[in-house]
Amino acid sequence: MRLNRMLLSTTLVVVALVIQVSVLARLHLPGAVPDLVLLTVLALAMVYGHVGGALIGFGAGLLADLAPPADHAAGRYALVLCVIGYLAGLVKPENGQLKSATGPMAVVVAAAVGSTLLYAGVGALVGDTAARHVGLGSLLFTAALYDLLLAPFVVPGLMALARRAENNPLGESGASAKSADVSSGWLASGTGLRIGSQRGMRVKAARARFARAGRIKGVKRL
């Protein structure tokens, strides 16, 4: 990953984690907690692609595992967000621009449900049965609802910020393509002028030879 990507991703993830731990986790909402870290990973993954999404997801999940008041094994949420970030990066738009909000919202719902299921599945493997006591169905519904309500205020802005940090690669490619077209046009025009000037010189030389031959013949006739 580039340096500007790393700096921006680290800053956004740390800010999202601080807000989630200090504000969202203390709202005491029924069911799940709005996952601002997950939304941040999704937004960056849909700009940077599956590799960047996996790396950002792993780092963000590891920070969430180590941040208090975490009560689970370290690396558990890192694995979940690594997988989610990789899958979200696979739906990155080819041209880097989103045509509608339907796709990102569907990604948010799928990621909220998938991360909850994956987190509960990994917990079951390590002996954590907390999801059974809370109710997995309630967790799935509230996680998808809270993240879907929070996503319009988070995901578009973070995606736009990430694109701006990339220094508009589409604009650069368009400018380079335009400069390439212009340079090729200049080369073509230069070649055409060169060929035209050479033809003009050849015509002038031929006319001069014909005129000289005519004068010589006239002298001989005299």
Side-chain angles (χ1 to χ4, degrees):
M1 295 179 66
R2 295 189 224 169
L3 182 60
N4 58 344
R5 288 187 180 185
M6 295 178 62
L7 293 176
L8 178 63
S9 302
T10 303
T11 303
L12 293 178
V13 167
V14 170
V15 171
L17 182 60
V18 170
I19 295 176
Q20 181 168 331
V21 172
S22 60
V23 178
L24 297 179
R26 298 187 179 184
L27 296 179
H28 300 292
L29 297 174
V33 176
D35 200 338
L36 186 58
V37 176
L38 174 64
L39 296 179
T40 303
V41 171
L42 293 178
L44 296 176
M46 285 188 287
V47 176
Y48 297 148
H50 59 282
V51 177
L55 294 175
I56 295 171
F58 179 81
L62 189 59
L63 288 178
D65 288 332
L66 300 177
D71 56 352
H72 55 269
R76 181 176 170 184
Y77 202 48
L79 174 62
V80 172
L81 287 189
C82 181
V83 175
I84 296 298
Y86 179 85
L87 295 178
L90 294 177
V91 299
K92 171 188 174 183
E94 292 294 334
N95 58 356
Q97 299 293 332
L98 295 175
K99 296 181 180 180
S100 66
T102 305
M105 294 300 103
V107 172
V108 169
V109 174
V113 174
S115 62
T116 304
L117 289 175
L118 188 57
Y119 185 83
V122 175
L125 292 177
V126 297
D128 185 2
T129 59
R132 296 179 183 178
H133 301 290
V134 178
L136 185 58
S138 175
L139 284 177
L140 292 175
F141 175 75
T142 53
L145 178 62
Y146 296 155
D147 291 346
L148 187 60
L149 292 177
L150 187 60
F153 303 98
V154 177
V155 176
L158 295 184
M159 292 182 68
L161 184 61
R163 289 197 196 98
R164 180 172 296 183
E166 287 288 285
N167 294 324
N168 195 6
L170 295 177
E172 290 179 1
S173 60
S176 62
K178 185 176 180 181
S179 62
D181 294 337
V182 172
S183 61
S184 61
W186 277 107
L187 290 175
S189 62
T191 305
L193 289 175
R194 191 178 301 116
I195 293 175
S197 61
Q198 290 177 356
R199 288 179 179 177
M201 293 176 61
R202 290 177 182 176
V203 171
K204 290 181 180 180
R207 288 179 180 177
R209 285 197 299 271
F210 286 144
R212 188 181 306 165
R215 288 196 298 270
I216 293 174
K217 290 181 179 179
V219 172
K220 286 183 177 180
R221 288 178 181 177
L222 292 174

